[in-house]
Amino acid sequence: QVQLVESGGGLVQAGGSLRLSCAASGRTFSSYAMGWFRQAPGKEREFVAAISRSGFNTVYADSVKGRFTISRDNADDTVYLQMNSLMSEDTAVYYCAAKRTAANGGTYAYDRSYDYWGQGTQVTISS
């Protein structure tokens, strides 16, 4: 069992930045590939970014590529999402997710691949 707790959400003006954190507890964090997803009102949950167990491999949704950066600190059991140049369409609840995997370099963009989810943190961008 892994517990995930997101933080760092809030209200920011368009063009601003936020850094989300997701703290994990319960199991060996480095055994899990991690991902960030988001869900806007009235829309389905969508993939944002993912990072491999080692942190060497990352993948991004086209909509955030070049603006968002996913990273992880396996010593601190935390995954981050640095979000820059925020736009109103980035407004959503952001969720982190964990997938236990033996693949050191695997990244996963499909939400059903993940085993554990956090409770979400709201990000609101004002235009």
Side-chain angles (χ1 to χ4, degrees), residues 6-122:
E6 301 98 334
S7 61
L11 173 65
V12 66
Q13 287 189 329
S17 298
L18 280 174
R19 188 174 85 152
L20 305 183
S21 300
C22 173
S25 62
R27 291 288 188 178
T28 306
F29 182 65
S30 59
S31 298
Y32 292 83
M34 302 296 294
W36 284 97
F37 292 77
R38 66 187 182 187
Q39 187 166 22
K43 295 188 177 181
E44 292 188 352
R45 184 167 59 193
E46 66 174 357
F47 169 73
V48 175
I51 190 166
S52 61
R53 284 176 42 180
S54 64
F56 290 148
N57 294 334
T58 58
V59 63
Y60 297 90
D62 287 344
S63 59
V64 307
K65 205 172 292 183
R67 300 187 299 122
F68 291 11
T69 303
I70 188 171
S71 61
R72 66 187 295 162
D73 184 340
N74 283 349
D76 213 20
D77 294 353
T78 304
V79 63
Y80 301 97
L81 186 68
Q82 177 67 44
M83 305 187 296
N84 298 328
S85 302
L86 285 161
M87 305 183 293
S88 56
E89 47 263 52
D90 295 317
T91 294
V93 177
Y94 283 70
Y95 300 91
C96 72
K99 173 182 173 57
R100 185 172 179 85
T101 177
N104 200 40
T107 55
Y108 306 89
Y110 185 45
D111 58 355
R112 294 193 180 186
S113 298
Y114 288 85
D115 305 306
Y116 302 101
W117 292 82
Q119 83 290 349
T121 185
Q122 177 70 48

